[in-house]
Amino acid sequence: MKIGGIDLGEKPLFLAPMEDVTDPSFRYMCKKFGADMVYTEFISSDGLIRDAAKSVAKLNISDFERPVGIQIYGHLIEPMVEAARIAEAAHPDLIDINFGCPMKKIAGRGAGSGMMRDVPLMVEMTRRIVEAVKLPVTVKTRLGWDDENKNIEDIALRLQDAGIAALTIHGRTRAQLYRGEADWTLIGKVRNNPNIHIPIIGNGDVDSGPKVCEMFDRYGVDGIMIGRATYGRPWIFREVKHFLATGEVMPQPSIPERVAIAKEHLAKSIEVKGEYVGVIEMRRHLSNYFKGLPNFKQTRLKLVTSTDPAELYATIDSIAEVWGDFDVSSTVPAPLSHDI
């Protein structure tokens, strides 16, 4: 599969862009475990053109992550075009447009999946961004606004005509948010439309090697994006690739293995963001590495309240000492609630 000149090989796996999750340290871990393509957290076009510190910080990418995409969102064409140019100057491998976020604060302003209520504006915005940058431009979106407006087949054709290099489709409508099961039927219809010539990447409820294999085989998608199932589980990419290669389900990492992974993740977070912020922003990840451990409440409390790196490393080490022999076969983390 290729996106523009980016060769991702056969059956590539993508890390979904997720706000407050896919920061540089988490992308590093997912890349290490086999993600073929990663994305930044989504970045506000308004924040970029105002030079807001939080938005600009999200442009921080490294060569280790490549290929890496920067995702932007907004509801007005001119700010989005300017934001795309700013993002391009950070030298990602592609620019991704967020037409999929269902959250009220985004979609309610007409950005994210809110753009699905104004398809002509969506298409024109996309065309203008494609014309403004030299990098490949891709889009992530949903099946439609609600059950009465599942218009992704028409949208896909129009976005293709606007010049995008690939399309990722999440198998829910905006109205569903993350409720119910993702419906891959329309994703498959888009992929198998003879007039579609760009790669189609499927997304939604993919959480295991067998599930990924099923989606590839049943719907013929070119790639699969994994979002919520990566939370507390960056090794899922290794699991999936092992299953695709062998047909065997890889055992979950042992507690000592998870301790080593958590410590490496923490070290990377501190390296990128400094001690205080690096520790604070690891809280959302650390306890999820150890979901399912019995009598873990007090240790979890330490993981999410400590601000001292040495104390935090010691707490993580203690997990291997106390729970090192725990059977982890059933400890698959609960999915995150807001991949986009």
Side-chain angles (χ1 to χ4, degrees), residues 304-324:
V304 300
T305 57
S306 177
T307 58
D308 178 65
E311 181 183 57
L312 193 51
Y313 278 117
T315 300
I316 297 171
D317 281 330
S318 73
I319 296 171
E321 296 170 6
V322 176
W323 289 276

Side-chain angles (χ1 to χ4, degrees), residues 109-179:
R109 297 177 56 219
S113 59
M115 196 65 69
M116 303 193 85
R117 304 184 81 175
D118 192 342
V119 176
L121 177 60
M122 174 195 286
V123 173
E124 178 62 13
M125 177 182 290
T126 302
R127 183 187 66 78
R128 290 282 307 280
I129 291 172
V130 169
E131 291 175 351
V133 299
K134 296 179 180 179
L135 292 174
V137 174
T138 60
V139 163
K140 186 171 189 283
T141 190
R142 290 185 163 230
L143 301 181
W145 179 256
D146 54 26
D147 283 343
E148 287 69 46
N149 295 279
K150 291 184 177 180
N151 52 345
I152 187 57
E153 291 179 85
D154 175 62
I155 287 173
L157 289 167
R158 295 176 69 174
L159 291 175
Q160 177 178 262
D161 289 344
I164 65 170
L167 175 66
T168 300
I169 305 170
H170 179 88
R172 290 181 174 87
T173 63
R174 187 274 167 180
Q176 283 182 272
L177 299 177
Y178 298 97
R179 295 186 295 266

Side-chain angles (χ1 to χ4, degrees), residues 218-237:
R218 179 178 293 185
Y219 300 105
V221 290
D222 300 284
I224 286 179
M225 182 174 283
I226 307 176
R228 291 175 290 168
T230 67
Y231 199 57
R233 192 181 167 197
W235 54 81
I236 189 173
F237 296 99

Side-chain angles (χ1 to χ4, degrees), residues 234-280:
W235 54 81
I236 189 173
F237 296 99
R238 180 179 68 183
E239 290 180 32
V240 170
K241 290 196 169 185
H242 179 79
F243 187 87
L244 291 177
T246 68
E248 299 175 354
V249 175
M250 177 177 282
Q252 292 293 303
S254 67
I255 294 303
E257 287 177 300
R258 295 183 194 208
V259 164
I261 292 166
K263 288 170 67 177
E264 182 177 8
H265 190 174
L266 174 59
K268 192 66 179 178
S269 184
I270 291 172
E271 175 191 326
V272 172
K273 297 185 176 180
E275 284 194 359
Y276 181 76
V277 176
V279 167
I280 296 297

Side-chain angles (χ1 to χ4, degrees), residues 14-18 21-22 26 29-30 35 206-207 225-237 240 265 285 288-289 332-336 339:
F14 297 72
L15 171 65
M18 294 178 283
V21 178
T22 54
F26 190 67
M29 298 304 297
C30 290
V206 179
D207 59 5
M225 182 174 283
I226 307 176
R228 291 175 290 168
T230 67
Y231 199 57
R233 192 181 167 197
W235 54 81
I236 189 173
F237 296 99
V240 170
H265 190 174
H285 296 285
N288 283 280
Y289 277 126
V332 177
L336 186 63
D339 65 333

Side-chain angles (χ1 to χ4, degrees), residues 15-27 38-44 48 54-55 57-61 65 68-73 96 98 273 281 284-285 338 340:
L15 171 65
M18 294 178 283
E19 175 69 354
D20 293 329
V21 178
T22 54
D23 66 1
S25 63
F26 190 67
R27 299 197 302 267
V38 299
Y39 296 82
T40 63
E41 304 165 76
F42 64 66
I43 307 176
S44 162
L48 280 185
K54 184 176 180 180
S55 296
K58 292 178 182 178
L59 296 174
N60 180 17
I61 58 177
E65 302 172 52
V68 55
I70 290 177
Q71 189 187 72
I72 59 174
Y73 76 93
D96 190 68
N98 177 343
K273 297 185 176 180
E281 296 198 358
R284 67 178 69 97
H285 296 285
H338 63 276
I340 52 103

